[in-house]
Amino acid sequence: MKYFIFIPFIFLLNSVHPKSHVEEVYKWKKVEFESLPQPEDSYVGPYKYYAPENSDVMGMGYHPASGLMIVILGRLRPGSPATIAAFCANEYKFGSSPKFWAFPNFEIQALRASDFDQRAGRSKKKHKETINYQHYVQYAPSKPIYPIPNWPTYETATKSPSTGSNFRIISAYQVEIDYKCNRAYFVDVGHLNYFLRGFINIQKPSILVYDLPEDGCKTRNFQLIRRVEMPDSVAARNPFGIVYITLDKQSSDCDDLYLYINNFDTYTIVYDYKRDDFWHFTGHPSFEPVVAESFYVYEDALYSQVVEGLMSYALGYADANGDRTAYYITGASTAQYEVSTKILKDKSKAPMNYEEDDFRIMGYRGCFSQAGKMAVDYTYGVVFYAERQSNRIRCWNMKKLLNPDNIGVVFDSFFVQYPFSLFIDPEGYLWFNNSRLPILAFTNMTLDLNTINNRFFRVKISDAIRGTVCEND
């Protein structure tokens, strides 16, 4: 059996920053919280309540109107008191390490001892401790160590009222912010995937929508607008693969939109927010990972296979009918594809009633360009990519052909290892981060709390593309 080898490297930050206009906004050696409701050294069931060596800042979203920075702590290991947290950006200087508070509160995100009790009447399945998983397996595996578990069968989708709902927030991986309507969208996958210890199914996967008031940083009071549980037909196959959300607004009506939620287990979930309806698309070859391009190198020493399919969408300009080109990528591929949102919004085409050429390949972005998240700037017509293999943030001008010669480099740095978040705020800044997911997911190591583990960066779009092939001719 082959094992991972991890060798730490130390670099001076300035020595690898090729563009001085990229700002390192925040950085953390370890995740710290304000006013934890339980003692740090307490336990929840068999696990430590607070274990910063197991906590990674995977996702982020900034809301300038309130000054709120939302951060996502993927519960990949035990020891995260909250999976969705926040801090007020105006309370911290650049280069500092803000402390977090739970969003909307700690109580709704609290895990219970009974969640880890095999005798509690829920559908749970734990596996033997191992560093392997069907989608995250060690280098050159002959076969998965164990199959995806049998997920529980759920009833049809149900929508919770904004108050008094009996639910918790278990585990989220990303946030998407609607800046015009001041709303934050999350997917709670409803279960814990402790890579070294197995799966624990707690509740049904759901979409959460919260209001972001302008005084939110001051009051820390955030109203739940909607919580809708995903039906078994679109979510129960493998909720862990649900990561990124793309919002497709149809009008100025805040409720008139579609959510495109990719599951890297090779299918796309569509949620019609206005009509409260779900469907999904599956079965197309472009949704699949390319096994030959699924091998990753992390920090020049950690080798792993990441067999991920569909990851994220980037939406082009709307036509006269309100339809857009949806560009999409898979985690284990350097190809890029496209589909019209006219297809995605048509429930009659789901799950496999589409024509094969409705989903089309556009071209290839070049070697080592495997990416997870994309973001679009409509002022300059540029798509940005958070590349997990190359340690780069790169760009492509939508007016140009999609090929390696037309992919520009925005930022190239050792410190952008495995970027998991990428978004553009209303002030014209491109934000991105680094994550330590490979360490927590692929190995039995913990984070070194004596070194900087997480960083948030930002750069003005105009500066990001200046001097690159992404500039308009």
Side-chain angles (χ1 to χ4, degrees):
M1 180 178 292
K2 297 182 180 180
Y3 293 89
F4 297 112
I5 301 175
F6 181 82
I7 304 173
F9 291 85
I10 299 176
F11 288 84
L12 292 176
L13 188 62
N14 291 335
S15 68
V16 295
H17 277 209
K19 293 187 176 182
S20 60
H21 50 256
V22 174
E23 302 172 292
E24 183 184 80
V25 186
Y26 303 110
K27 57 186 178 182
W28 294 267
K29 290 184 177 180
K30 69 175 183 178
V31 169
E32 294 185 282
F33 290 91
E34 296 179 6
S35 305
L36 284 173
Q38 297 185 38
E40 291 185 2
D41 58 354
S42 62
Y43 278 73
V44 179
Y47 301 123
K48 291 175 64 177
Y49 170 67
Y50 171 62
E53 67 275 13
N54 284 342
S55 297
D56 178 50
V57 183
M58 293 173 57
M60 59 176 180
Y62 179 51
H63 184 242
S66 63
L68 186 73
M69 180 69 76
I70 297 174
V71 295
I72 307 297
L73 307 169
R75 279 172 162 163
L76 306 179
R77 298 269 188 96
S80 291
T83 184
I84 303 175
F87 63 89
C88 298
N90 60 4
E91 295 179 1
Y92 293 93
K93 297 179 179 179
F94 277 21
S96 63
S97 305
K99 290 187 176 182
F100 304 150
W101 36 271
F103 178 102
N105 55 59
F106 282 107
E107 181 182 7
I108 203 171
Q109 301 191 60
L111 299 177
R112 303 167 183 167
S114 61
D115 294 333
F116 307 100
D117 185 354
Q118 291 294 296
R119 295 167 297 178
R122 292 188 189 277
S123 174
K124 296 185 178 71
K125 188 176 180 70
K126 288 189 177 181
H127 300 279
K128 294 180 180 179
E129 184 163 317
T130 173
I131 62 174
N132 294 313
Y133 172 60
Q134 185 162 344
H135 291 281
Y136 291 94
V137 292
Q138 60 178 284
Y139 185 79
S142 58
K143 62 181 179 178
I145 298 300
Y146 54 81
I148 294 175
N150 295 319
W151 302 103
T153 299
Y154 299 120
E155 302 295 332
T156 56
T158 57
K159 183 167 60 178
S160 300
S162 59
T163 59
S165 301
N166 182 22
F167 73 93
R168 287 181 288 154
I169 300 174
I170 304 302
S171 187
Y173 300 119
Q174 286 295 318
V175 56
E176 189 72 16
I177 295 178
D178 180 343
Y179 296 106
K180 291 185 178 180
C181 294
N182 299 308
R183 293 177 174 182
Y185 290 77
F186 309 89
V187 171
D188 171 23
V189 297
H191 76 279
L192 300 173
N193 183 11
Y194 289 165
F195 280 83
L196 303 185
R197 297 171 174 85
F199 302 86
I200 304 173
N201 299 315
I202 296 175
Q203 65 185 23
K204 188 173 180 177
S206 61
I207 296 170
L208 300 165
V209 186
Y210 279 91
D211 180 44
L212 299 178
E214 288 189 8
D215 63 350
C217 265
K218 180 179 180 180
T219 65
R220 299 190 184 183
N221 183 17
F222 304 96
Q223 183 73 25
L224 177 65
I225 298 173
R226 180 178 297 190
R227 176 181 182 267
V228 58
E229 296 178 338
M230 293 184 177
D232 183 48
S233 60
V234 304
R237 176 176 168 181
N238 177 13
F240 168 70
I242 301 172
V243 180
Y244 297 113
I245 306 169
T246 303
L247 307 180
D248 186 6
K249 302 190 70 173
Q250 303 300 296
S251 69
S252 59
D253 179 354
C254 291
D255 291 346
D256 189 13
L257 77 160
Y258 293 84
L259 277 64
Y260 308 132
I261 307 169
N262 283 345
N263 187 316
F264 65 61
D265 198 14
T266 70
Y267 62 98
T268 286
I269 300 167
V270 180
Y271 177 53
D272 184 338
Y273 192 96
K274 190 171 186 177
R275 297 169 184 82
D276 192 26
D277 194 13
F278 283 95
W279 57 90
H280 74 288
F281 290 88
T282 190
H284 196 274
S286 66
F287 301 168
E288 301 286 341
V290 178
V291 175
E293 296 181 329
S294 64
F295 295 94
Y296 280 52
V297 181
Y298 181 73
E299 293 194 350
D300 297 336
L302 175 63
Y303 296 83
S304 61
Q305 187 181 16
V306 186
V307 190
E308 293 175 331
L310 278 170
M311 290 303 295
S312 67
Y313 282 111
L315 303 183
Y317 295 99
D319 62 19
N321 298 316
D323 299 320
R324 304 169 182 265
T325 297
Y327 307 108
Y328 63 98
I329 56 176
T330 61
S333 174
T334 61
Q336 183 163 307
Y337 307 90
E338 64 179 355
V339 62
S340 171
T341 59
K342 182 178 180 180
I343 301 298
L344 298 179
K345 293 184 290 186
D346 187 350
K347 186 177 181 179
S348 69
K349 300 286 187 180
M352 298 177 63
N353 295 324
Y354 51 83
E355 300 296 329
E356 186 171 354
D357 62 358
D358 286 338
F359 297 86
R360 303 174 295 276
I361 190 168
M362 298 177 62
Y364 295 87
R365 302 185 307 279
C367 295
F368 308 113
S369 64
Q370 296 94 327
K373 185 68 169 66
M374 297 187 289
V376 181
D377 176 77
Y378 297 106
T379 300
Y380 296 94
V382 173
V383 176
F384 295 93
Y385 308 88
E387 294 187 352
R388 298 177 176 179
Q389 177 63 86
S390 71
N391 309 331
R392 291 176 173 177
I393 305 300
R394 297 211 288 177
C395 59
W396 165 65
N397 191 309
M398 292 185 285
K399 295 180 180 179
K400 300 182 179 182
L401 294 176
L402 193 286
N403 60 49
D405 291 337
N406 286 330
I407 305 295
V409 177
V410 171
F411 192 54
D412 183 354
S413 170
F414 177 84
F415 293 103
V416 192
Q417 295 279 349
Y418 218 83
F420 212 78
S421 255
L422 183 79
F423 66 89
I424 298 170
D425 71 20
E427 298 177 336
Y429 283 97
L430 174 72
W431 290 78
F432 51 95
N433 72 334
N434 75 298
S435 78
R436 308 297 260 169
L437 182 150
I439 293 176
L440 298 183
F442 306 158
T443 80
N444 58 5
M445 300 173 63
T446 57
L447 301 186
D448 179 359
L449 302 183
N450 294 313
T451 189
I452 297 172
N453 285 297
N454 293 110
R455 291 180 168 92
F456 287 3
F457 301 92
R458 75 172 190 178
V459 59
K460 275 285 190 181
I461 300 296
S462 56
D463 292 329
I465 65 174
R466 184 176 297 122
T468 73
V469 295
C470 302
E471 281 188 303
N472 291 316
D473 294 332

